[in-house]
Amino acid sequence: MKFLPSWMQRLASPQYFFLDVKVWIVWLYVLGVVGLLVGSIWGLAFVPAERLQGDSFRIMFVHVPVAIFAQIVYISIAVAGVVHLVWKLKMADVYMAAAAPVGFWLTALALGSGMIWGMPTWGTPWEWDARIVTTFILLILYLGLIVLRQVIPNPARATFALSILAIVGAINIPIIKYSVVWFETLHQPASIELFGEISIDAIYRFPLFTNIASVFILTAGIILANMRFETIVRNASKTWVRSWIQGRDR
Amino acid sequence: MRFGALYRRELLIEVRSGVESIIPIVFFIIVVGIFTFALNDLISDDSKVLVSVIWITTLFTSILSLDNLFKRDHADGTLAVAVLHTDALVAIVVAKLFAHWTLTGIPLTILGPLIGLMSGMQLEHAAILGLTLLIGTPTITMLGALVTALLVGLGRGGELLTVLILPMYIPILLFGMGVCHLNIDSAPYTSELLWCLALLSGSITVIPLALGPVLKLSQDS
Amino acid sequence: MTSTHLTVTNLCCRPGSQELFDGLSISVAVGETIELRGPNGCGKTTLLRIMAGLQQPDSGDVIRYVEPIGYLGHKFGLTSILTVQENLRWASMLNGTKFDTARAQDLLETFELRTATNKLIQELSAGQKRRCSLVCLLIGEYKLWLLDEPFSSLDSQGEELVRVLIQEHCKTGGSAVIASHSASPLAHAAQVEFGIS
């Protein structure tokens, strides 16, 4: 861990994390909400209707960003699992605990917005189709991560079990990603590739990218806020928490 | 030499426990039987339906049988003794899983295609079904054992097993079933088959090593 | 040849709100018998499990100089649907030693289990099961014994036998940590008294 800059090393300590990160959360919330408002209003009001789908495509500006981060948050949890197993870093465990519910709700939002989108375009809100089923499985994976922690009373064991489960579950992520390519499915293939053509019109690109960035910022903010909460709960008996509470009361 | 002895011991335990060890197989036959009865028309039209039924029932059977995998050893204290022998632990666990697979995986691998043939499936399709089950059942045993080990000694673990385990089974189910479907459609299935093999080799190399620490930690509750 | 089998330093364990022990340090030397004494719930079992590595302390270090460790807990560690003989075989398999039938027969004779050799464990009485798990411990040829209430469910004759065995074990280069609340303390054993804080 020596290769990291000193302000990052400082964050590995619960106390400094708790104190340092508060300002970030405020900024992330402000930036995320403003960005989301700008992107959504732009997408809803100022962009022409799509040629085939009419106005219903506009839910894309919510659906695509949440679906992307539903998967990315899971990958990040699996990475945190590896970090925890290798370096025994306490913050990695805090991250797993904080991110799992956020990922759960992102996945639920992706499924929900997809259902709303599916009604006018496919004529059905729910189809047992590869992409939908695999995303549903992702929801169950998140549920497993949340429930497992509550079932195992011993924190050390719970963290270890969670790391293992997150890592093994991560084999599902490429399957969700490529389900639209590998299997016959109603769901359209991805229009944005990290390395390659963007098969989406320039007019629609900017509100979409604004929203992707805003969802990222907001997700980061919520996870950090959750982490802050987790650190104070876990360190409740420490003196720095007590003195912080006394400082607040005054 | 030692592995053989450990393996024989595990088999002996399974055999001594009598009917208990056959229940999963009976369950498999009954469920597939009910499905073939209920979906009679569909199955005679399209053997893809039967293949899917057999694959999915295999997953359910494994959940039923895995619940007991470490439960007895944990209850009588032999698991605690085993985890203290770090050198022997991997051999003990692998012997246990191999015995478990011998008594559930192998019968299902034989029964699956046999039921297929009895319901009028073509020989080639049944053979490929058998092949995918041969690759799939050990993978299922490994993944299932890992999740079961995470839940050892937790009272309500049994019910949780279903929620935690089914997502892990999705990849092998999709590829295993996919191979059979493609074969029935006379489409090339090599890449899917290779994916199955990749999942198998990945799980049989990594999971036995991970099980040691997982089981050791399971004593600490 | 090390002169110590196990050291624990500065051990802390506080499950939930109560504190079992704080800053506990014990070192188990070769040939030493340590008897942990104290009322129920004072942390004897927890300490033994931490020493064995079955449980993690909240803080502090445990160093084991010998592996594996012979641990005998409240559960017998015997498979109930296997016979006494088969369980003994497993005990020797764990350490990779060849099963010595003659020695096993001798031990069974000492523990008056000769007639039960081919009986299933589930057919035995609690005292006989305890005897059988002690035979397993001897078959495993462990240097360090961690015994949790080894005298429970044994008759007075069996208890005497175990006392002698522990003494012999420690004379021949072994060591033992024993948790008990037996009325009479072990001879030659260092006593560690536990209290509820």
Side-chain angles (χ1 to χ4, degrees):
Chain A
M1 289 286 153
K2 291 280 182 283
F3 52 87
L4 292 174
S6 61
W7 65 270
M8 269 182 140
Q9 287 183 24
R10 200 173 130 95
L11 288 179
S13 137
Q15 181 183 358
Y16 291 121
F17 176 86
F18 183 80
L19 298 173
D20 287 8
V21 111
K22 189 182 178 185
V23 193
W24 302 12
I25 294 172
V26 175
W27 279 108
L28 288 170
Y29 273 179
V30 171
L31 212 62
V33 170
V34 170
L36 210 55
L37 280 174
V38 170
S40 303
I41 292 171
W42 191 352
L44 286 176
F46 296 102
V47 156
E50 207 247 356
R51 187 165 46 90
L52 295 171
Q53 295 181 19
D55 277 330
S56 66
F57 87 100
R58 291 180 202 274
I59 200 163
M60 169 182 85
F61 299 119
V62 178
H63 178 72
V64 172
V66 274
I68 289 174
F69 288 104
Q71 292 167 41
I72 289 179
V73 167
Y74 192 89
I75 297 171
S76 72
I77 292 178
V79 171
V82 175
V83 170
H84 178 79
L85 289 184
V86 177
W87 286 292
K88 301 273 169 239
L89 201 65
K90 274 191 183 136
M91 288 318 279
D93 177 34
V94 171
Y95 179 81
M96 286 195 284
V102 179
F104 179 84
W105 287 112
L106 282 172
T107 316
L109 265 178
L111 279 172
S113 57
M115 280 162 82
I116 297 171
W117 197 359
M119 265 192 291
T121 43
W122 300 345
T124 167
W126 188 268
E127 188 65 38
W128 290 105
D129 138 296
R131 175 51 80 77
I132 303 181
V133 171
T134 47
T135 308
F136 183 67
I137 295 297
L138 185 64
L139 195 72
I140 307 286
L141 277 172
Y142 277 123
L143 192 67
L145 290 182
I146 296 166
V147 174
L148 194 62
R149 187 181 292 280
Q150 294 176 356
V151 174
I152 304 181
N154 174 352
R157 188 181 165 193
T159 314
F160 187 76
L162 264 165
S163 311
I164 298 269
L165 196 71
I167 293 164
V168 177
I171 47 170
N172 274 297
I173 295 295
I175 291 186
I176 299 169
K177 172 84 178 110
Y178 293 107
S179 59
V180 281
V181 186
W182 288 343
F183 305 103
E184 288 173 34
T185 165
L186 276 175
H187 196 286
Q188 58 180 318
S191 310
I192 311 166
E193 288 294 338
L194 206 52
F195 309 102
E197 285 286 294
I198 300 174
S199 58
I200 194 165
D201 200 278
I203 318 173
Y204 303 133
R205 237 181 259 172
F206 296 109
L208 182 60
F209 286 178
T210 312
N211 268 7
I212 291 176
S214 314
V215 169
F216 173 64
I217 290 166
L218 208 53
T219 307
I222 297 170
I223 292 177
L224 280 178
N226 276 359
M227 285 172 79
R228 210 164 163 260
F229 176 70
E230 279 286 326
T231 41
I232 199 164
V233 169
R234 288 177 192 204
N235 296 292
S237 58
K238 299 273 165 65
T239 34
W240 67 262
V241 175
R242 288 197 194 130
S243 59
W244 178 76
I245 293 170
Q246 278 163 7
R248 261 175 79 94
D249 285 347
R250 236 175 264 131
Chain B
M1 156 73 189
R2 180 161 73 165
F3 179 77
L6 286 167
Y7 174 64
R8 258 177 281 126
R9 174 180 182 271
E10 295 296 336
L11 274 188
L12 191 65
I13 294 174
E14 291 291 333
V15 171
R16 287 265 171 83
S17 57
V19 186
E20 212 179 302
S21 60
I22 319 172
I23 286 175
I25 309 298
V26 177
F27 173 83
F28 177 81
I29 297 171
I30 292 173
V31 173
V32 175
I34 291 171
F35 266 114
T36 38
F37 172 68
L39 305 172
N40 201 359
D41 298 340
L42 283 174
I43 282 172
S44 47
D45 288 351
D46 189 352
S47 39
K48 274 196 226 171
V49 179
L50 185 60
V51 165
S52 310
V53 165
I54 288 171
W55 253 100
I56 292 162
T57 315
T58 306
L59 298 191
F60 293 158
T61 310
S62 91
I63 294 173
L64 187 72
S65 62
L66 281 168
D67 192 29
N68 263 324
L69 192 59
F70 299 111
K71 209 182 245 174
R72 184 168 35 211
D73 289 9
H74 181 66
D76 63 20
T78 43
L79 191 60
V81 174
V83 298
L84 292 181
H85 294 78
T86 322
D87 297 342
L89 190 54
V90 175
I92 295 170
V93 167
V94 173
K96 190 163 205 50
L97 296 184
F98 194 38
H100 181 266
W101 179 72
T102 316
L103 290 170
T104 56
I106 291 181
L108 295 197
T109 308
I110 297 165
L111 278 171
L114 208 64
I115 293 173
L117 285 174
M118 278 156 59
S119 322
M121 197 188 277
Q122 283 174 34
L123 187 62
E124 191 212 335
H125 299 164
I128 293 295
L129 172 62
L131 179 66
T132 55
L133 284 176
L134 187 65
I135 299 169
T137 45
T139 317
I140 289 170
T141 303
M142 287 292 165
L143 287 169
L146 185 63
V147 179
T148 318
L150 293 178
L151 298 173
V152 166
L154 304 172
R156 292 171 296 165
E159 296 111 72
L160 240 184
L161 189 62
T162 335
V163 178
L164 294 181
I165 223 170
L166 278 176
M168 307 294 161
Y169 284 168
I170 296 298
I172 188 70
L173 173 74
L174 285 179
F175 289 117
M177 218 163 67
V179 169
C180 299
H181 285 191
L182 289 168
N183 178 48
I184 292 169
D185 288 338
S186 322
Y189 53 78
T190 321
S191 71
E192 274 77 5
L193 195 62
L194 290 176
W195 270 108
C196 288
L197 284 168
L199 289 171
L200 172 68
S201 45
S203 53
I204 59 174
T205 43
V206 176
I207 290 179
L209 297 177
L211 273 173
V214 171
L215 285 173
K216 186 152 193 183
L217 212 63
S218 78
Q219 296 301 309
D220 187 354
S221 52
Chain C
M1 204 49 204
T2 48
S3 57
T4 322
H5 279 165
L6 181 117
T7 54
V8 294
T9 35
N10 224 352
L11 215 58
C12 275
C13 189
R14 33 183 121 73
S17 54
Q18 103 227 58
E19 184 175 290
L20 282 182
F21 36 83
D22 193 354
L24 181 76
S25 300
I26 296 178
S27 139
V28 186
V30 174
E32 193 178 15
T33 315
I34 293 176
E35 190 173 13
L36 311 172
R37 300 183 65 84
N40 291 33
C42 67
K44 299 192 295 284
T45 298
T46 310
L47 179 59
L48 279 180
R49 289 176 64 86
I50 289 174
M51 282 175 162
L54 291 171
Q55 207 168 317
Q56 294 303 314
D58 288 314
S59 66
D61 294 310
V62 183
I63 304 168
R64 298 175 198 89
Y65 297 96
V66 281
E67 291 274 351
I69 286 166
Y71 172 78
L72 190 58
H74 290 295
K75 296 171 183 169
F76 296 112
L78 304 167
T79 309
S80 60
I81 49 175
L82 293 183
T83 63
V84 172
Q85 172 104 1
E86 284 157 353
N87 271 290
L88 298 188
R89 271 183 193 282
W90 190 62
S92 77
M93 266 184 249
L94 286 174
N95 274 355
T97 49
K98 193 152 174 19
F99 186 63
D100 185 347
T101 321
R103 180 167 145 73
Q105 289 302 328
D106 280 354
L107 287 171
L108 288 175
E109 190 77 62
T110 324
F111 279 87
E112 292 163 12
L113 282 171
R114 190 66 183 265
T115 50
T117 312
N118 290 315
K119 270 192 186 169
L120 295 183
I121 297 294
Q122 62 190 14
E123 294 166 0
L124 304 183
S125 72
Q128 283 176 309
K129 284 179 192 166
R130 175 64 67 191
R131 283 159 188 258
C132 183
S133 56
L134 285 162
V135 177
C136 284
L137 188 76
L138 289 165
I139 292 236
E141 289 174 354
Y142 304 97
K143 286 264 187 268
L144 171 60
W145 288 358
L146 303 175
L147 312 180
D148 198 354
E149 312 279 357
F151 308 123
S152 68
S153 58
L154 286 181
D155 52 21
S156 57
Q157 208 184 342
E159 193 174 324
E160 196 44 49
L161 182 61
V162 176
R163 281 170 194 276
V164 173
L165 270 173
I166 292 169
Q167 215 169 355
E168 268 178 22
H169 173 67
C170 294
K171 270 183 193 155
T172 54
S175 60
V177 182
I178 293 141
S180 86
H181 49 227
S182 159
S184 48
L186 277 165
H188 310 292
Q191 309 285 322
V192 176
E193 288 288 343
F194 273 67
I196 291 182
S197 46

